[in-house]
Short mmCIF file of all heavy atoms in Angstrom, two decimals:
data_model
loop_
_atom_site.label_atom_id
_atom_site.label_comp_id
_atom_site.label_asym_id
_atom_site.label_seq_id
_atom_site.Cartn_x
_atom_site.Cartn_y
_atom_site.Cartn_z
N ASN A 865 -92.84 -43.18 14.38
CA ASN A 865 -93.35 -44.30 15.19
C ASN A 865 -92.70 -44.32 16.55
O ASN A 865 -92.48 -45.37 17.14
CB ASN A 865 -93.10 -45.62 14.47
CG ASN A 865 -93.79 -45.65 13.11
OD1 ASN A 865 -94.83 -45.01 12.92
ND2 ASN A 865 -93.20 -46.39 12.16
N SER A 866 -92.37 -43.16 17.05
CA SER A 866 -91.72 -43.13 18.35
C SER A 866 -92.66 -43.49 19.47
O SER A 866 -92.24 -43.95 20.51
CB SER A 866 -91.11 -41.73 18.60
OG SER A 866 -92.16 -40.76 18.56
N LYS A 867 -94.03 -43.31 19.27
CA LYS A 867 -94.98 -43.64 20.31
C LYS A 867 -95.15 -45.14 20.46
O LYS A 867 -95.48 -45.64 21.53
CB LYS A 867 -96.33 -43.01 19.98
CG LYS A 867 -96.28 -41.50 19.97
CD LYS A 867 -97.65 -40.93 19.65
CE LYS A 867 -97.61 -39.41 19.63
NZ LYS A 867 -98.95 -38.82 19.33
N ALA A 868 -94.96 -45.89 19.38
CA ALA A 868 -95.10 -47.35 19.46
C ALA A 868 -93.96 -47.94 20.23
O ALA A 868 -92.88 -47.35 20.30
CB ALA A 868 -95.14 -47.92 18.06
N PRO A 869 -94.20 -49.08 20.82
CA PRO A 869 -93.11 -49.74 21.57
C PRO A 869 -91.98 -50.17 20.63
O PRO A 869 -92.24 -50.71 19.56
CB PRO A 869 -93.81 -50.92 22.22
CG PRO A 869 -95.00 -51.18 21.39
CD PRO A 869 -95.47 -49.86 20.89
N LYS A 870 -90.75 -49.84 21.05
CA LYS A 870 -89.59 -50.12 20.22
C LYS A 870 -89.13 -51.55 20.41
O LYS A 870 -89.15 -52.08 21.51
CB LYS A 870 -88.45 -49.15 20.58
CG LYS A 870 -88.79 -47.69 20.29
CD LYS A 870 -87.64 -46.81 20.64
CE LYS A 870 -87.98 -45.35 20.38
NZ LYS A 870 -86.87 -44.46 20.71
N MET A 871 -88.72 -52.13 19.29
CA MET A 871 -88.21 -53.49 19.31
C MET A 871 -86.87 -53.52 18.59
O MET A 871 -86.66 -52.83 17.60
CB MET A 871 -89.19 -54.45 18.61
CG MET A 871 -90.55 -54.55 19.31
SD MET A 871 -91.64 -55.68 18.45
CE MET A 871 -90.78 -57.22 18.69
N LYS A 872 -85.98 -54.28 19.11
CA LYS A 872 -84.65 -54.42 18.50
C LYS A 872 -84.70 -55.52 17.47
O LYS A 872 -84.79 -56.70 17.81
CB LYS A 872 -83.59 -54.74 19.56
CG LYS A 872 -83.41 -53.63 20.54
CD LYS A 872 -82.34 -53.98 21.54
CE LYS A 872 -82.15 -52.87 22.56
NZ LYS A 872 -81.12 -53.19 23.54
N PRO A 873 -84.72 -55.17 16.22
CA PRO A 873 -84.82 -56.23 15.21
C PRO A 873 -83.51 -56.99 15.10
O PRO A 873 -82.44 -56.44 15.24
CB PRO A 873 -85.12 -55.44 13.93
CG PRO A 873 -84.51 -54.10 14.17
CD PRO A 873 -84.65 -53.84 15.63
N SER A 874 -83.61 -58.22 14.86
CA SER A 874 -82.45 -59.07 14.67
C SER A 874 -82.22 -59.29 13.21
O SER A 874 -83.07 -58.97 12.37
CB SER A 874 -82.66 -60.42 15.37
OG SER A 874 -83.80 -61.08 14.82
N ALA A 875 -81.11 -59.86 12.92
CA ALA A 875 -80.77 -60.07 11.52
C ALA A 875 -81.68 -61.09 10.87
O ALA A 875 -81.99 -61.01 9.70
CB ALA A 875 -79.30 -60.50 11.41
N GLY A 876 -82.14 -62.06 11.63
CA GLY A 876 -82.96 -63.11 11.02
C GLY A 876 -84.40 -62.72 10.84
O GLY A 876 -85.11 -63.34 10.06
N ASN A 877 -84.91 -61.72 11.57
CA ASN A 877 -86.29 -61.32 11.48
C ASN A 877 -86.54 -60.22 10.47
O ASN A 877 -87.61 -59.65 10.41
CB ASN A 877 -86.78 -60.85 12.86
CG ASN A 877 -86.78 -62.01 13.85
OD1 ASN A 877 -86.94 -63.17 13.44
ND2 ASN A 877 -86.58 -61.69 15.12
N ARG A 878 -85.52 -59.75 9.81
CA ARG A 878 -85.68 -58.68 8.83
C ARG A 878 -86.37 -59.22 7.58
O ARG A 878 -86.11 -60.34 7.14
CB ARG A 878 -84.32 -58.08 8.44
CG ARG A 878 -83.68 -57.32 9.57
CD ARG A 878 -82.34 -56.81 9.16
NE ARG A 878 -81.69 -56.11 10.26
CZ ARG A 878 -80.46 -55.63 10.21
NH1 ARG A 878 -79.76 -55.79 9.10
NH2 ARG A 878 -79.94 -55.00 11.25
N SER A 879 -87.21 -58.36 7.03
CA SER A 879 -87.94 -58.75 5.81
C SER A 879 -87.12 -58.40 4.61
O SER A 879 -86.12 -57.69 4.70
CB SER A 879 -89.29 -58.02 5.75
OG SER A 879 -89.06 -56.62 5.72
N MET A 880 -87.54 -58.87 3.44
CA MET A 880 -86.81 -58.61 2.20
C MET A 880 -86.90 -57.16 1.80
O MET A 880 -85.98 -56.62 1.19
CB MET A 880 -87.36 -59.50 1.08
CG MET A 880 -87.07 -60.98 1.30
SD MET A 880 -85.32 -61.32 1.47
CE MET A 880 -84.77 -60.81 -0.11
N SER A 881 -88.05 -56.55 2.15
CA SER A 881 -88.16 -55.11 1.82
C SER A 881 -87.14 -54.30 2.58
O SER A 881 -86.54 -53.37 2.07
CB SER A 881 -89.58 -54.62 2.11
OG SER A 881 -89.85 -54.77 3.49
N TYR A 882 -86.92 -54.67 3.82
CA TYR A 882 -85.90 -53.97 4.61
C TYR A 882 -84.51 -54.22 4.05
O TYR A 882 -83.65 -53.35 3.99
CB TYR A 882 -85.99 -54.40 6.07
CG TYR A 882 -84.91 -53.82 6.93
CD1 TYR A 882 -84.99 -52.51 7.37
CD2 TYR A 882 -83.78 -54.59 7.26
CE1 TYR A 882 -84.00 -51.96 8.13
CE2 TYR A 882 -82.79 -54.05 8.02
CZ TYR A 882 -82.90 -52.75 8.47
OH TYR A 882 -81.91 -52.21 9.23
N VAL A 883 -84.37 -55.47 3.66
CA VAL A 883 -83.07 -55.81 3.09
C VAL A 883 -82.81 -55.04 1.81
O VAL A 883 -81.72 -54.55 1.54
CB VAL A 883 -82.97 -57.32 2.86
CG1 VAL A 883 -81.68 -57.65 2.10
CG2 VAL A 883 -82.99 -58.03 4.17
N ALA A 884 -83.85 -54.93 1.00
CA ALA A 884 -83.68 -54.19 -0.25
C ALA A 884 -83.37 -52.72 -0.02
O ALA A 884 -82.59 -52.11 -0.72
CB ALA A 884 -84.94 -54.34 -1.09
#
Side-chain angles (χ1 to χ4, degrees):
N865 301 330
S866 60
K867 296 180 180 180
K870 296 181 181 180
M871 297 180 66
K872 296 181 181 180
S874 61
N877 295 331
R878 292 177 182 175
S879 61
M880 292 303 297
S881 62
Y882 175 78
V883 172

